Short mmCIF file of all heavy atoms in Angstrom, two decimals:
data_model
loop_
_atom_site.label_atom_id
_atom_site.label_comp_id
_atom_site.label_asym_id
_atom_site.label_seq_id
_atom_site.Cartn_x
_atom_site.Cartn_y
_atom_site.Cartn_z
N MET A 285 197.57 -112.66 51.74
CA MET A 285 198.45 -113.82 51.93
C MET A 285 198.38 -114.71 50.70
O MET A 285 197.32 -115.12 50.27
CB MET A 285 198.01 -114.59 53.18
CG MET A 285 198.91 -115.76 53.50
SD MET A 285 198.47 -116.46 55.11
CE MET A 285 199.17 -118.09 54.92
N LYS A 286 199.54 -114.99 50.16
CA LYS A 286 199.56 -115.79 48.94
C LYS A 286 200.14 -117.17 49.21
O LYS A 286 201.23 -117.31 49.73
CB LYS A 286 200.41 -115.09 47.86
CG LYS A 286 199.72 -113.85 47.31
CD LYS A 286 200.57 -113.21 46.23
CE LYS A 286 199.86 -111.97 45.67
NZ LYS A 286 200.69 -111.28 44.69
N ASP A 287 199.37 -118.14 48.87
CA ASP A 287 199.82 -119.52 49.01
C ASP A 287 199.84 -120.15 47.62
O ASP A 287 198.80 -120.37 47.02
CB ASP A 287 198.85 -120.28 49.92
CG ASP A 287 199.31 -121.71 50.17
OD1 ASP A 287 200.26 -122.16 49.49
OD2 ASP A 287 198.73 -122.38 51.03
N PRO A 288 201.01 -120.41 47.09
CA PRO A 288 201.09 -120.94 45.71
C PRO A 288 200.37 -122.27 45.54
O PRO A 288 199.90 -122.58 44.45
CB PRO A 288 202.60 -121.09 45.46
CG PRO A 288 203.28 -120.79 46.72
CD PRO A 288 202.30 -120.18 47.69
N VAL A 289 200.29 -123.04 46.59
CA VAL A 289 199.61 -124.33 46.48
C VAL A 289 198.11 -124.13 46.28
O VAL A 289 197.46 -124.89 45.59
CB VAL A 289 199.86 -125.18 47.75
CG1 VAL A 289 199.12 -126.52 47.67
CG2 VAL A 289 201.36 -125.42 47.92
N GLN A 290 197.58 -123.05 46.87
CA GLN A 290 196.14 -122.80 46.78
C GLN A 290 195.78 -122.03 45.51
O GLN A 290 194.62 -121.94 45.18
CB GLN A 290 195.69 -121.97 48.01
CG GLN A 290 195.90 -122.69 49.33
CD GLN A 290 194.83 -123.75 49.57
OE1 GLN A 290 193.71 -123.61 49.11
NE2 GLN A 290 195.18 -124.82 50.26
N MET A 291 196.77 -121.49 44.85
CA MET A 291 196.49 -120.69 43.65
C MET A 291 195.99 -121.58 42.53
O MET A 291 196.68 -122.51 42.12
CB MET A 291 197.77 -119.98 43.18
CG MET A 291 198.20 -118.87 44.12
SD MET A 291 197.43 -117.30 43.72
CE MET A 291 198.45 -116.81 42.33
N PRO A 292 194.80 -121.32 42.05
CA PRO A 292 194.31 -122.12 40.92
C PRO A 292 195.12 -121.80 39.67
O PRO A 292 195.33 -120.64 39.35
CB PRO A 292 192.85 -121.70 40.78
CG PRO A 292 192.74 -120.39 41.46
CD PRO A 292 193.87 -120.28 42.45
N GLU A 293 195.56 -122.81 39.02
CA GLU A 293 196.35 -122.61 37.80
C GLU A 293 195.43 -122.50 36.61
O GLU A 293 194.55 -123.32 36.43
CB GLU A 293 197.30 -123.79 37.59
CG GLU A 293 198.51 -123.75 38.48
CD GLU A 293 199.48 -124.83 38.08
OE1 GLU A 293 200.17 -124.65 37.06
OE2 GLU A 293 199.54 -125.85 38.76
N SER A 294 195.66 -121.51 35.81
CA SER A 294 194.89 -121.42 34.58
C SER A 294 195.82 -121.71 33.42
O SER A 294 196.90 -121.14 33.31
CB SER A 294 194.23 -120.05 34.45
OG SER A 294 195.13 -119.04 34.80
N ARG A 295 195.41 -122.60 32.62
CA ARG A 295 196.22 -122.97 31.46
C ARG A 295 195.33 -123.57 30.38
O ARG A 295 194.17 -123.88 30.63
CB ARG A 295 197.30 -123.98 31.86
CG ARG A 295 196.75 -125.23 32.52
CD ARG A 295 197.85 -126.22 32.81
NE ARG A 295 198.87 -125.64 33.68
CZ ARG A 295 199.94 -126.29 34.12
NH1 ARG A 295 200.13 -127.54 33.78
NH2 ARG A 295 200.82 -125.70 34.89
N PHE A 296 195.93 -123.73 29.25
CA PHE A 296 195.20 -124.33 28.14
C PHE A 296 195.56 -125.80 28.03
O PHE A 296 196.71 -126.19 28.24
CB PHE A 296 195.52 -123.61 26.84
CG PHE A 296 194.97 -122.22 26.81
CD1 PHE A 296 195.74 -121.13 27.18
CD2 PHE A 296 193.65 -122.00 26.43
CE1 PHE A 296 195.22 -119.84 27.16
CE2 PHE A 296 193.11 -120.72 26.41
CZ PHE A 296 193.90 -119.65 26.78
N LEU A 297 194.58 -126.58 27.74
CA LEU A 297 194.78 -128.02 27.62
C LEU A 297 194.30 -128.48 26.25
O LEU A 297 193.35 -127.93 25.71
CB LEU A 297 193.96 -128.78 28.68
CG LEU A 297 194.12 -128.37 30.13
CD1 LEU A 297 193.03 -129.05 30.95
CD2 LEU A 297 195.48 -128.78 30.64
N ARG A 298 194.96 -129.49 25.75
CA ARG A 298 194.45 -130.12 24.54
C ARG A 298 193.64 -131.34 25.00
O ARG A 298 194.17 -132.24 25.63
CB ARG A 298 195.59 -130.56 23.62
CG ARG A 298 195.10 -131.13 22.31
CD ARG A 298 196.25 -131.63 21.48
NE ARG A 298 197.09 -130.55 20.98
CZ ARG A 298 196.89 -129.94 19.81
NH1 ARG A 298 195.89 -130.32 19.05
NH2 ARG A 298 197.68 -129.00 19.42
N VAL A 299 192.38 -131.31 24.71
CA VAL A 299 191.50 -132.39 25.14
C VAL A 299 190.96 -133.11 23.91
O VAL A 299 190.46 -132.48 22.99
CB VAL A 299 190.33 -131.84 25.99
CG1 VAL A 299 189.37 -132.95 26.37
CG2 VAL A 299 190.88 -131.17 27.25
N ALA A 300 191.07 -134.42 23.94
CA ALA A 300 190.57 -135.22 22.83
C ALA A 300 189.18 -135.74 23.18
O ALA A 300 188.95 -136.24 24.27
CB ALA A 300 191.52 -136.38 22.55
N CYS A 301 188.28 -135.63 22.22
CA CYS A 301 186.92 -136.12 22.40
C CYS A 301 186.93 -137.65 22.48
O CYS A 301 187.62 -138.32 21.72
CB CYS A 301 186.07 -135.67 21.22
SG CYS A 301 184.39 -136.27 21.27
N ARG A 302 186.15 -138.17 23.43
CA ARG A 302 186.09 -139.63 23.58
C ARG A 302 185.29 -140.27 22.44
O ARG A 302 185.43 -141.45 22.16
CB ARG A 302 185.42 -139.99 24.91
CG ARG A 302 186.26 -139.67 26.12
CD ARG A 302 185.56 -140.17 27.38
NE ARG A 302 186.25 -139.71 28.58
CZ ARG A 302 187.32 -140.32 29.08
NH1 ARG A 302 187.80 -141.40 28.50
NH2 ARG A 302 187.88 -139.86 30.17
N LYS A 303 184.41 -139.50 21.84
CA LYS A 303 183.53 -140.08 20.81
C LYS A 303 184.18 -140.07 19.43
O LYS A 303 184.21 -141.08 18.75
CB LYS A 303 182.21 -139.30 20.75
CG LYS A 303 181.26 -139.66 21.87
CD LYS A 303 179.92 -138.98 21.61
CE LYS A 303 178.91 -139.35 22.70
NZ LYS A 303 177.62 -138.64 22.49
N CYS A 304 184.65 -138.88 19.02
CA CYS A 304 185.10 -138.77 17.63
C CYS A 304 186.61 -138.53 17.53
O CYS A 304 187.14 -138.42 16.44
CB CYS A 304 184.32 -137.67 16.92
SG CYS A 304 184.76 -136.01 17.46
N ARG A 305 187.27 -138.41 18.67
CA ARG A 305 188.72 -138.25 18.73
C ARG A 305 189.20 -136.92 18.17
O ARG A 305 190.40 -136.73 17.97
CB ARG A 305 189.44 -139.42 18.02
CG ARG A 305 189.19 -140.73 18.72
CD ARG A 305 189.80 -141.87 17.93
NE ARG A 305 189.41 -143.16 18.51
CZ ARG A 305 190.08 -143.76 19.47
NH1 ARG A 305 191.16 -143.22 19.95
NH2 ARG A 305 189.68 -144.91 19.95
N ASN A 306 188.28 -136.06 17.90
CA ASN A 306 188.68 -134.70 17.55
C ASN A 306 189.35 -134.09 18.78
O ASN A 306 188.88 -134.28 19.89
CB ASN A 306 187.43 -133.89 17.16
CG ASN A 306 187.73 -132.41 16.98
OD1 ASN A 306 188.60 -132.05 16.20
ND2 ASN A 306 187.01 -131.56 17.68
N ASP A 307 190.43 -133.38 18.60
CA ASP A 307 190.97 -132.70 19.77
C ASP A 307 190.97 -131.20 19.57
O ASP A 307 191.14 -130.69 18.46
CB ASP A 307 192.33 -133.23 20.21
CG ASP A 307 193.38 -133.13 19.13
OD1 ASP A 307 193.02 -133.30 17.97
OD2 ASP A 307 194.56 -132.89 19.46
N GLN A 308 190.72 -130.52 20.66
CA GLN A 308 190.68 -129.07 20.60
C GLN A 308 191.25 -128.48 21.87
O GLN A 308 191.35 -129.17 22.89
CB GLN A 308 189.25 -128.58 20.31
CG GLN A 308 188.24 -128.86 21.38
CD GLN A 308 186.83 -128.62 20.84
OE1 GLN A 308 186.35 -129.29 19.94
NE2 GLN A 308 186.14 -127.65 21.40
N ILE A 309 191.65 -127.22 21.77
CA ILE A 309 192.26 -126.55 22.90
C ILE A 309 191.16 -125.96 23.78
O ILE A 309 190.27 -125.28 23.29
CB ILE A 309 193.19 -125.42 22.41
CG1 ILE A 309 194.19 -125.94 21.38
CG2 ILE A 309 193.91 -124.77 23.59
CD1 ILE A 309 195.12 -127.00 21.89
N VAL A 310 191.22 -126.26 25.04
CA VAL A 310 190.24 -125.71 25.98
C VAL A 310 190.97 -125.03 27.13
O VAL A 310 192.13 -125.35 27.43
CB VAL A 310 189.30 -126.81 26.53
CG1 VAL A 310 188.51 -127.47 25.40
CG2 VAL A 310 190.09 -127.86 27.30
N PHE A 311 190.27 -124.14 27.77
CA PHE A 311 190.82 -123.42 28.91
C PHE A 311 190.38 -124.17 30.16
O PHE A 311 189.20 -124.50 30.31
CB PHE A 311 190.28 -121.99 28.89
CG PHE A 311 190.92 -121.09 29.91
CD1 PHE A 311 192.30 -120.98 30.00
CD2 PHE A 311 190.13 -120.31 30.75
CE1 PHE A 311 192.88 -120.14 30.93
CE2 PHE A 311 190.71 -119.45 31.68
CZ PHE A 311 192.09 -119.37 31.77
N ASN A 312 191.32 -124.47 31.05
CA ASN A 312 190.97 -125.34 32.17
C ASN A 312 190.11 -124.66 33.23
O ASN A 312 189.65 -125.30 34.14
CB ASN A 312 192.21 -125.98 32.79
CG ASN A 312 192.96 -125.02 33.70
OD1 ASN A 312 192.89 -123.80 33.55
ND2 ASN A 312 193.71 -125.55 34.65
N LYS A 313 189.92 -123.37 33.08
CA LYS A 313 189.03 -122.69 34.03
C LYS A 313 187.80 -122.14 33.33
O LYS A 313 187.24 -121.14 33.73
CB LYS A 313 189.78 -121.58 34.75
CG LYS A 313 190.85 -122.14 35.68
CD LYS A 313 191.40 -121.08 36.58
CE LYS A 313 190.37 -120.67 37.63
NZ LYS A 313 190.85 -119.52 38.41
N ALA A 314 187.40 -122.82 32.29
CA ALA A 314 186.21 -122.40 31.56
C ALA A 314 185.01 -122.33 32.50
O ALA A 314 184.86 -123.17 33.39
CB ALA A 314 185.92 -123.40 30.44
N SER A 315 184.20 -121.30 32.32
CA SER A 315 183.04 -121.13 33.19
C SER A 315 181.77 -121.66 32.56
O SER A 315 180.71 -121.64 33.16
CB SER A 315 182.86 -119.65 33.56
OG SER A 315 182.79 -118.87 32.39
N THR A 316 181.90 -122.13 31.34
CA THR A 316 180.75 -122.74 30.68
C THR A 316 181.18 -124.10 30.14
O THR A 316 182.36 -124.37 29.97
CB THR A 316 180.25 -121.89 29.49
OG1 THR A 316 181.33 -121.68 28.58
CG2 THR A 316 179.75 -120.54 29.96
N VAL A 317 180.20 -124.93 29.86
CA VAL A 317 180.49 -126.24 29.28
C VAL A 317 181.14 -126.06 27.92
O VAL A 317 180.72 -125.21 27.14
CB VAL A 317 179.19 -127.07 29.14
CG1 VAL A 317 179.43 -128.34 28.35
CG2 VAL A 317 178.65 -127.40 30.52
N VAL A 318 182.18 -126.83 27.65
CA VAL A 318 182.81 -126.80 26.34
C VAL A 318 182.44 -128.09 25.62
O VAL A 318 182.63 -129.18 26.14
CB VAL A 318 184.35 -126.70 26.47
CG1 VAL A 318 185.00 -126.72 25.09
CG2 VAL A 318 184.73 -125.42 27.21
N ASN A 319 181.87 -127.92 24.44
CA ASN A 319 181.46 -129.08 23.66
C ASN A 319 182.40 -129.30 22.49
O ASN A 319 182.99 -128.36 21.96
CB ASN A 319 180.03 -128.90 23.14
CG ASN A 319 179.02 -128.87 24.27
OD1 ASN A 319 178.51 -127.82 24.62
ND2 ASN A 319 178.75 -130.00 24.84
N CYS A 320 182.49 -130.54 22.08
CA CYS A 320 183.26 -130.90 20.91
C CYS A 320 182.69 -130.18 19.69
O CYS A 320 181.48 -130.15 19.49
CB CYS A 320 183.20 -132.42 20.72
SG CYS A 320 183.98 -132.98 19.21
N LEU A 321 183.56 -129.60 18.89
CA LEU A 321 183.10 -128.86 17.73
C LEU A 321 182.58 -129.78 16.63
O LEU A 321 181.83 -129.38 15.76
CB LEU A 321 184.24 -127.99 17.18
CG LEU A 321 184.69 -126.84 18.10
CD1 LEU A 321 185.90 -126.14 17.50
CD2 LEU A 321 183.56 -125.85 18.32
N LYS A 322 183.01 -131.02 16.69
CA LYS A 322 182.60 -131.95 15.63
C LYS A 322 181.31 -132.70 15.98
O LYS A 322 180.40 -132.79 15.18
CB LYS A 322 183.71 -132.97 15.36
CG LYS A 322 184.80 -132.40 14.47
CD LYS A 322 185.71 -133.53 13.99
CE LYS A 322 186.71 -133.00 12.98
NZ LYS A 322 187.63 -134.07 12.54
N CYS A 323 181.25 -133.28 17.17
CA CYS A 323 180.10 -134.12 17.49
C CYS A 323 179.25 -133.59 18.62
O CYS A 323 178.19 -134.11 18.89
CB CYS A 323 180.55 -135.55 17.79
SG CYS A 323 181.31 -135.73 19.41
N GLY A 324 179.71 -132.55 19.29
CA GLY A 324 178.90 -131.93 20.32
C GLY A 324 179.01 -132.56 21.70
O GLY A 324 178.33 -132.15 22.63
N ALA A 325 179.86 -133.58 21.84
CA ALA A 325 180.02 -134.22 23.14
C ALA A 325 180.66 -133.25 24.12
O ALA A 325 181.41 -132.36 23.74
CB ALA A 325 180.89 -135.47 23.00
N GLU A 326 180.36 -133.46 25.38
CA GLU A 326 180.91 -132.58 26.41
C GLU A 326 182.39 -132.87 26.60
O GLU A 326 182.79 -134.01 26.84
CB GLU A 326 180.16 -132.85 27.72
CG GLU A 326 179.86 -131.60 28.51
CD GLU A 326 178.96 -131.90 29.69
OE1 GLU A 326 179.45 -132.51 30.66
OE2 GLU A 326 177.77 -131.54 29.63
N LEU A 327 183.20 -131.83 26.49
CA LEU A 327 184.63 -132.00 26.71
C LEU A 327 185.07 -131.48 28.06
O LEU A 327 186.04 -131.97 28.65
CB LEU A 327 185.43 -131.24 25.63
CG LEU A 327 185.32 -131.75 24.20
CD1 LEU A 327 186.25 -130.96 23.31
CD2 LEU A 327 185.64 -133.23 24.11
N LEU A 328 184.36 -130.48 28.55
CA LEU A 328 184.79 -129.82 29.77
C LEU A 328 183.55 -129.29 30.48
O LEU A 328 182.67 -128.71 29.86
CB LEU A 328 185.72 -128.66 29.40
CG LEU A 328 186.66 -128.15 30.47
CD1 LEU A 328 187.77 -129.17 30.71
CD2 LEU A 328 187.28 -126.83 30.03
N ALA A 329 183.49 -129.51 31.79
CA ALA A 329 182.36 -129.00 32.56
C ALA A 329 182.86 -128.08 33.65
O ALA A 329 183.83 -128.42 34.35
CB ALA A 329 181.58 -130.17 33.16
N PRO A 330 182.24 -126.93 33.83
CA PRO A 330 182.68 -126.00 34.86
C PRO A 330 182.31 -126.52 36.24
O PRO A 330 181.28 -127.15 36.43
CB PRO A 330 181.89 -124.73 34.53
CG PRO A 330 180.68 -125.19 33.80
CD PRO A 330 181.08 -126.44 33.07
N THR A 331 183.18 -126.28 37.20
CA THR A 331 182.92 -126.73 38.56
C THR A 331 182.99 -125.59 39.56
O THR A 331 182.84 -125.78 40.74
CB THR A 331 183.97 -127.78 38.98
OG1 THR A 331 185.27 -127.17 38.94
CG2 THR A 331 183.96 -128.99 38.08
N GLY A 332 183.27 -124.39 39.09
CA GLY A 332 183.46 -123.27 39.99
C GLY A 332 184.93 -122.96 40.18
O GLY A 332 185.30 -121.85 40.49
N GLY A 333 185.76 -123.96 40.00
CA GLY A 333 187.21 -123.76 40.05
C GLY A 333 187.79 -124.26 38.76
O GLY A 333 187.36 -123.87 37.68
N THR A 334 188.72 -125.17 38.86
CA THR A 334 189.26 -125.80 37.66
C THR A 334 188.20 -126.71 37.06
O THR A 334 187.60 -127.51 37.75
CB THR A 334 190.52 -126.61 38.01
OG1 THR A 334 191.47 -125.73 38.59
CG2 THR A 334 191.11 -127.25 36.78
N ALA A 335 187.97 -126.55 35.78
CA ALA A 335 186.92 -127.31 35.13
C ALA A 335 187.24 -128.80 35.10
O ALA A 335 188.40 -129.21 35.10
CB ALA A 335 186.72 -126.77 33.71
N GLU A 336 186.17 -129.58 35.08
CA GLU A 336 186.35 -131.02 35.02
C GLU A 336 186.46 -131.46 33.57
O GLU A 336 185.62 -131.14 32.74
CB GLU A 336 185.14 -131.72 35.67
CG GLU A 336 185.26 -133.21 35.70
CD GLU A 336 183.99 -133.88 36.18
OE1 GLU A 336 183.11 -133.17 36.69
OE2 GLU A 336 183.87 -135.09 36.02
N ILE A 337 187.50 -132.22 33.29
CA ILE A 337 187.72 -132.68 31.92
C ILE A 337 186.88 -133.92 31.67
O ILE A 337 187.00 -134.92 32.39
CB ILE A 337 189.21 -132.98 31.68
CG1 ILE A 337 190.03 -131.68 31.82
CG2 ILE A 337 189.42 -133.60 30.30
CD1 ILE A 337 191.52 -131.92 31.84
N LYS A 338 186.04 -133.85 30.66
CA LYS A 338 185.17 -134.98 30.32
C LYS A 338 185.79 -135.82 29.20
O LYS A 338 185.47 -136.98 29.05
CB LYS A 338 183.81 -134.47 29.86
CG LYS A 338 183.07 -133.65 30.89
CD LYS A 338 182.50 -134.52 31.98
CE LYS A 338 181.52 -133.73 32.83
NZ LYS A 338 180.92 -134.57 33.88
N GLY A 339 186.61 -135.18 28.41
CA GLY A 339 187.27 -135.92 27.34
C GLY A 339 188.60 -136.46 27.84
O GLY A 339 188.79 -136.66 29.04
N ARG A 340 189.51 -136.69 26.94
CA ARG A 340 190.84 -137.17 27.31
C ARG A 340 191.83 -136.03 27.21
O ARG A 340 192.02 -135.47 26.13
CB ARG A 340 191.27 -138.29 26.36
CG ARG A 340 190.59 -139.61 26.62
CD ARG A 340 191.09 -140.63 25.62
NE ARG A 340 192.55 -140.63 25.54
CZ ARG A 340 193.29 -141.72 25.42
NH1 ARG A 340 192.71 -142.89 25.36
NH2 ARG A 340 194.58 -141.64 25.35
N ALA A 341 192.47 -135.72 28.33
CA ALA A 341 193.49 -134.68 28.31
C ALA A 341 194.70 -135.25 27.59
O ALA A 341 195.32 -136.23 28.02
CB ALA A 341 193.85 -134.27 29.72
N ALA A 342 195.06 -134.65 26.47
CA ALA A 342 196.13 -135.20 25.66
C ALA A 342 197.46 -134.48 25.91
O ALA A 342 198.51 -135.08 25.86
CB ALA A 342 195.76 -135.11 24.19
N ARG A 343 197.38 -133.20 26.17
CA ARG A 343 198.61 -132.44 26.29
C ARG A 343 198.33 -131.18 27.11
O ARG A 343 197.22 -130.66 27.11
CB ARG A 343 199.09 -132.03 24.89
CG ARG A 343 200.58 -131.78 24.82
CD ARG A 343 201.02 -131.61 23.39
NE ARG A 343 200.76 -132.81 22.57
CZ ARG A 343 200.87 -132.82 21.27
NH1 ARG A 343 201.19 -131.73 20.61
NH2 ARG A 343 200.64 -133.91 20.58
N THR A 344 199.34 -130.71 27.77
CA THR A 344 199.18 -129.50 28.57
C THR A 344 200.01 -128.38 27.98
O THR A 344 201.15 -128.57 27.62
CB THR A 344 199.63 -129.75 30.02
OG1 THR A 344 198.86 -130.81 30.56
CG2 THR A 344 199.43 -128.52 30.87
N PHE A 345 199.38 -127.24 27.89
CA PHE A 345 200.08 -126.04 27.44
C PHE A 345 200.33 -125.14 28.63
O PHE A 345 199.50 -125.04 29.50
CB PHE A 345 199.24 -125.30 26.40
CG PHE A 345 199.20 -125.98 25.07
CD1 PHE A 345 198.39 -127.07 24.86
CD2 PHE A 345 200.00 -125.53 24.05
CE1 PHE A 345 198.35 -127.70 23.64
CE2 PHE A 345 199.98 -126.15 22.82
CZ PHE A 345 199.16 -127.24 22.61
N THR A 346 201.44 -124.50 28.65
CA THR A 346 201.69 -123.56 29.73
C THR A 346 201.63 -122.13 29.21
O THR A 346 201.77 -121.92 28.02
CB THR A 346 203.08 -123.81 30.36
OG1 THR A 346 204.08 -123.79 29.35
CG2 THR A 346 203.10 -125.13 31.10
ZN1 LIG B 87 183.59 -135.27 19.33
#
């Protein structure tokens, strides 16, 4: 049984670092922590489903 509302969406997001404002593309279903490439701050934390964005989501890619 397929329920589109329950389907987790996987997409790429542009997330800007809160510390250094570097932005990088992250996968919203990342299974590991994604750190900023410049300063090492946490940008994305895995939650088991859609990852939690720690930085600023700047743009969505489909
Ligand atoms: Zn940074």
Side-chain angles (χ1 to χ4, degrees):
M285 183 172 159
K286 289 181 179 176
D287 183 350
V289 178
Q290 297 283 330
M291 290 272 281
E293 283 188 76
S294 43
R295 56 177 58 179
F296 291 95
L297 307 169
R298 184 184 290 270
V299 177
C301 177
R302 290 185 188 278
K303 282 188 178 177
C304 71
R305 296 174 188 272
N306 172 55
D307 59 324
Q308 66 193 64
I309 307 298
V310 299
F311 188 51
N312 78 335
K313 292 191 71 187
S315 55
T316 56
V317 171
V318 178
N319 294 105
C320 174
L321 293 175
K322 280 193 174 178
C323 75
E326 220 172 72
L327 293 185
L328 201 72
T331 61
T334 301
E336 182 187 348
I337 297 170
K338 300 285 192 178
R340 285 179 49 141
R343 205 171 299 169
T344 301
F345 286 78
T346 54

